Amino acid sequence: MSSVAVIGDIDTVTGFRLGGVREGRVVNNKEEAEKALDDLIETNVSIIIITDKIADEIRVHMNKTIGSEIVPMVIEIPDKDGISESDGDQMRALIKRVIGVDIK
């Protein structure tokens, strides 16, 4: 069982694998990303790192699948192209999910 996994483009996944993360899923579309997320949840991964652009594409599926569960923790990171516009909203959502309070 791996405790950390990454979902992203080939460059992101390769970088994390070089850094020691054993479990990585390269995805090219929404369907592949949703399947990768579901597969990783079934393997009891405790932390899933996902690029913010892919997370934006599967946001509804992520919210429905993970809901308010604490594990797995999903950490969104920028990909090689940089930060997405919704980065601040994601941090606020993570704080709300962890402590249960919405910070304005």
Side-chain angles (χ1 to χ4, degrees):
M1 175 175 88
S2 174
S3 61
V4 178
V6 62
I7 300 173
D9 58 83
I10 186 73
D11 295 327
T12 301
V13 173
T14 301
F16 274 92
R17 282 190 176 160
L18 290 171
V21 174
R22 294 183 183 181
E23 187 68 43
R25 305 290 172 94
V26 176
V27 297
N28 298 304
N29 58 48
K30 179 180 178 179
E31 292 76 24
E32 289 178 1
E34 288 176 352
K35 179 164 179 14
L37 179 70
D38 293 342
D39 291 347
L40 291 173
I41 290 171
E42 287 182 22
T43 61
N44 294 321
V45 171
S46 48
I47 298 173
I48 298 174
I49 301 167
I50 186 169
T51 59
D52 55 3
K53 291 179 183 168
I54 292 172
D56 287 343
E57 289 181 22
I58 65 168
R59 178 86 45 223
V60 172
H61 182 74
M62 279 183 11
N63 291 341
K64 184 171 48 173
T65 304
I66 298 171
S68 62
E69 298 294 321
I70 294 175
V71 176
M73 176 181 281
V74 177
I75 301 172
E76 296 178 28
I77 62 164
D79 65 4
K80 63 183 178 186
D81 297 324
I83 299 171
S84 77
E85 300 135 15
S86 64
D87 219 26
D89 293 338
Q90 300 313 313
M91 183 56 75
R92 196 168 108 206
L94 176 63
I95 292 169
K96 181 178 179 183
R97 186 171 149 205
V98 171
I99 65 173
V101 176
D102 192 12
I103 298 175
K104 298 279 179 179

